[in-house]
């Protein structure tokens, strides 16, 4: 599995005329090597695969990344730069070496440190952002499972979403229900978004101790982590029968969701699909209240390429997994967002979500 992925990097090396690539983004590091630890760098050359990590992870790295030669560093044996210098010297001697690095990830200081530690090293800025856009079979299976876990948890806790319970309790219930179903944890590095009533106007309204009140809309945005892969979904429910305005805006967001979903297929520019939802919402007079992009790629990271927004240059292709999440947010009133995770197929797309998107009126 990692062999095929490493080959893509080696093809890139040849194309860019580089001696090697330094991979530092944890998601890319895991994707290429299998190593799940929190610290480390890969160096991939046409002939060798090195994984530099510190002493805490040396055993784990050897097990998880059998194709790589693990080079251990610790404060006792020298920091990462001195260990890299030694490794480079023993491999390339003092030959000038041209290495690509993730300029959109590695901080300037680290690049400077490497340059001064290894004088004959030339570092070229490179982006690996597109590396994980198209998912393979196993990745799709994990995202599908993460989605299923989140949906089952949502259905389980629905009876507890009632006036009097706090947003924080809803978030906790969701997390516990997901973990019981085999999730490693939350798909988010922050709390789930549980935004009730007026707080629904905050697209990123993390759960607070606010109690739910009858008649309010509640936006729940959450996901599960499964084997390193993430799911992401949003449903907005109403605590009781919806009034005319709640119903009107809900139907508008649903229409935007369904129209953009139906347009997703290989060859479709992400920007155009964003435009489909944006046009519908703008035509209804709420364009300014849809202040975020329509969706994002998802996989080892919650937000990854491709992004669907007004400036996106990405074009959809088979096996991309992208969220669709139009929303309308009215300060003082609240908000509505509906989000599914969608797989681009050979001829169109398939939502990985099964949960109904019709307005749920609880109580
Ligand atoms: Zn979400
Ligand atoms: Zn999302």
């Amino acid at each position: 599995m990692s062999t095929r992925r490493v080959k893509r990097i080696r093809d890139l090396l040849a194309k860019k005329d580089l001696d090697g690539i330094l991979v530092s983004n944890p998601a890319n590091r895991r994707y290429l090597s299998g190593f799940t630890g929190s610290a480390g760098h890969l160096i991939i050359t046409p002939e060798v695969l090195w994984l530099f990590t510190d002493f805490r992870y040396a055993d784990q790295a050897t097990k998880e990344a059998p194709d790589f030669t693990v080079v251990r560093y610790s404060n006792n044996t020298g920091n990462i730069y001195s260990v890299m210098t030694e490794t480079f010297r023993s491999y390339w001697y003092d030959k000038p070496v041209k290495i690509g690095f993730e300029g959109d990830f590695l901080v300037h200081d680290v690049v400077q440190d490497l340059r001064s530690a290894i004088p004959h090293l030339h570092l070229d800025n490179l982006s690996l952002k597109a590396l994980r856009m198209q998912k393979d079979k196993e990745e799709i299976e994990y995202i599908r499972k993460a989605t299923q876990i989140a949906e089952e948890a949502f259905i389980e806790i629905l009876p507890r979403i009632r006036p009097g319970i706090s947003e924080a309790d809803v978030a906790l219930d969701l997390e516990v229900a997901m973990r019981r179903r085999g999730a490693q944890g939350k798909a988010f590095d922050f709390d789930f978004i549980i935004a009730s009533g007026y707080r629904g106007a905050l697209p990123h309204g993390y759960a607070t101790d606010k109690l739910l009140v009858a008649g309010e809309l509640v936006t729940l945005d959450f996901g599960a982590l499964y084997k390193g892969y993430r799911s992401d979904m949003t449903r907005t429910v109403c605590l009781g029968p919806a009034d005319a305005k709640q119903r009107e805006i809900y139907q508008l967001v649903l229409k935007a969701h369904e129209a953009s979903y139906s347009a997703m297929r290989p060859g479709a520019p992400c920007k155009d699909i964003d435009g489909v939802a944006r046009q519908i919402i703008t035509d209804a007079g709420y364009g300014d209240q849809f202040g975020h992009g329509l969706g994002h790629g998802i996989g080892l990271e919650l937000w990854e390429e491709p992004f669907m927004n007004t400036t996106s240059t990405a074009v959809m292709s088979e096996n991309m997994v992208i969220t669709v999440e139009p929303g309308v947010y009215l300060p003082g009133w609240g908000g509505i967002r509906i989000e599914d995770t969608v797989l681009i197929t050979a001829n169109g797309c398939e939502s990985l979500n099964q949960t109904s998107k019709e307005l749920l009126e609880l109580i």
Side-chain angles (χ1 to χ4, degrees):
M1 175 263 285
S2 86
T3 321
R4 204 171 57 237
R5 296 175 182 177
V6 164
K7 185 180 177 301
R8 285 170 56 205
I9 292 289
R10 284 180 164 155
D11 290 346
L12 187 66
L13 284 177
K15 207 173 122 196
K16 302 262 179 190
D17 195 23
L18 292 166
D19 297 304
I21 289 187
L22 170 66
V23 179
S24 307
N25 174 324
N28 287 339
R29 193 174 65 214
R30 175 174 182 159
Y31 182 79
L32 291 164
S33 70
F35 172 55
T36 62
S38 67
H41 301 266
L42 308 179
I43 291 187
I44 296 176
T45 81
E47 295 87 23
V48 294
L49 301 171
W50 286 312
L51 196 173
F52 294 84
T53 191
D54 68 53
F55 73 102
R56 294 171 300 170
Y57 290 120
D59 282 352
Q60 182 187 336
T62 308
K63 281 196 196 87
E64 290 181 339
D67 297 341
F68 281 71
T69 303
V70 175
V71 185
R72 192 180 106 155
Y73 59 86
S74 73
N75 290 335
N76 303 330
T77 56
N79 62 25
I80 171 102
Y81 308 113
S82 58
V83 171
M84 265 191 197
T85 310
E86 258 172 56
T87 311
F88 280 32
R89 283 239 164 87
S90 62
Y91 187 67
W92 280 298
Y93 305 100
D94 283 334
K95 185 180 157 244
V97 179
K98 204 163 90 176
I99 301 276
F101 74 100
E102 294 167 285
D104 45 28
F105 181 80
L106 258 199
V107 292
H108 187 68
D109 282 5
V110 176
V111 176
Q112 284 307 108
D113 285 350
L114 263 176
R115 279 185 178 133
S116 47
I118 312 171
H120 59 287
L121 174 71
H122 177 83
L123 282 167
D124 258 7
N125 197 334
L126 191 82
S127 176
L128 296 181
K129 274 186 172 173
L131 182 67
R132 293 178 284 112
M133 280 207 297
Q134 278 162 293
K135 272 60 183 177
D136 59 33
K137 236 175 117 186
E138 183 187 76
E139 295 183 284
I140 293 167
E141 192 188 306
Y142 293 163
I143 301 170
R144 199 185 284 279
K145 177 73 179 171
T147 305
Q148 187 195 337
I149 289 171
E151 295 205 294
E152 286 179 8
F154 175 64
I155 301 297
E156 181 194 309
I157 70 141
L158 265 181
R160 298 206 285 281
I161 305 178
R162 291 292 182 266
I165 188 176
S166 73
E167 294 173 344
D169 274 341
V170 174
L172 183 64
D173 282 352
L174 264 174
E175 186 178 347
V176 171
M178 290 193 323
R179 280 183 177 267
R180 271 211 206 92
R181 285 173 168 76
Q184 289 170 284
K186 293 181 297 179
F188 302 177
D189 295 331
F190 43 84
D191 213 343
F192 288 148
I193 293 164
I194 311 288
S196 60
Y198 64 90
R199 292 194 69 253
L202 308 168
H204 271 192
Y206 305 123
T208 65
D209 57 4
K210 178 187 173 300
L211 303 182
L212 310 191
V213 176
E216 283 181 338
L217 292 167
V218 185
T219 298
L220 304 98
D221 187 348
F222 56 97
L225 181 69
Y226 180 75
K227 293 192 194 264
Y229 284 80
R230 293 160 202 271
S231 64
D232 188 8
M233 66 179 283
T234 307
R235 290 292 182 271
T236 303
V237 300
C238 194
L239 295 176
D243 64 26
K245 186 168 182 181
Q246 288 169 332
R247 195 171 292 278
E248 177 207 321
I249 296 180
Y250 193 93
Q251 291 311 322
L252 172 65
V253 174
L254 183 58
K255 187 177 162 194
H257 182 108
E258 286 180 338
S260 46
Y261 169 72
S262 307
M264 292 170 77
R265 59 174 56 86
C270 287
K271 185 182 168 180
D272 290 3
I273 307 300
D274 177 277
V276 170
R278 206 162 295 283
Q279 192 63 52
I280 290 169
I281 292 174
T282 303
D283 288 348
Y286 294 105
D288 290 343
Q289 278 73 46
F290 173 29
H292 57 75
L294 179 65
H296 52 88
I298 184 166
L300 284 171
E301 290 180 293
L302 178 63
W303 294 303
E304 59 183 45
E305 296 285 333
F307 290 91
M308 282 202 290
N309 55 40
T310 55
T311 59
S312 175
T313 55
V315 174
M316 291 182 182
S317 56
E318 190 178 359
N319 296 332
M320 285 182 174
V321 180
I322 313 173
T323 70
V324 182
E325 45 182 308
V328 169
Y329 312 92
L330 303 175
W333 180 80
I336 291 166
R337 178 167 66 258
I338 304 169
E339 175 181 26
D340 270 5
T341 295
V342 175
L343 168 69
I344 307 299
T345 59
N347 304 309
C349 67
E350 174 204 346
S351 176
L352 300 184
N353 292 84
Q354 310 287 327
T355 309
S356 166
K357 287 183 280 286
E358 293 304 317
L359 178 57
L360 265 178
E361 295 168 306
L362 304 175
I363 308 177

